[in-house]
Amino acid sequence: AIDSPAIRQVFDPANFVQVGVHPMRDAWPLLAAYTTHVHIKDARFSDGAVYPPGQGDGALGELLETLAQTGYQGYLTLEPHLRFAGPASDYSGPESMRVASQALRALLRSCQTPNSVQ
C-alpha cells in the first residue's frame, strides 16, 4: 500500500517454510519487486528446523538462479542458525558458519545459470 522505494523487504526462504509457505511458488511472485536483501537460510517443512543452504525445502537453488537471471543487485546474508544459543538462537558459531558457507558454495556451483554470482 505504501509502495515507496525507501521501504523494501528481506526475503528469507526458511521463515516461509517454517510457517508452511512454499517460498518460490507462493511468496516470491508477490515479493520479488520489493526485495533488496535475501537471507540465505534453509528449513524443512517436516520439522521447521534450520538446515544448511540447499538441504531444506526453501528452494534456495531456484532462488539463486532466479536472482542471477533477473540481475539482482541486492545483498545476500548467510544466516545459518544451525546451533541453538538461548531464546533468540541467533549465534551459530564458527563451525556452523563454515558448514553453511560450504553448503552455499556447493549450491552456487550447482546453479544452472551461466552468469550466476559465485
Side-chain angles (χ1 to χ4, degrees), residues 24-111:
M24 292 306 291
R25 184 187 75 200
D26 301 328
W28 183 254
L30 300 173
L31 300 172
Y34 306 102
T35 299
T36 58
H37 196 105
V38 175
H39 284 179
I40 301 298
K41 184 174 76 179
D42 214 343
R44 292 191 184 157
F45 286 116
S46 60
D47 59 6
V50 175
Y51 289 85
Q55 297 178 24
D57 299 313
L60 284 167
E62 181 183 352
L63 173 60
L64 291 170
E65 287 180 6
T66 299
L67 294 174
Q69 289 169 356
T70 59
Y72 176 74
Q73 295 294 308
Y75 293 95
L76 299 178
T77 300
L78 187 57
E79 186 188 37
H81 293 289
L82 297 175
R83 193 181 85 179
F84 181 74
S89 61
D90 288 336
Y91 177 71
S92 291
E95 183 52 37
S96 293
M97 186 58 82
R98 265 188 293 283
V99 167
S101 65
Q102 290 169 352
L104 175 58
R105 285 186 187 107
L107 193 58
L108 287 168
R109 283 191 299 272
S110 73
C111 284

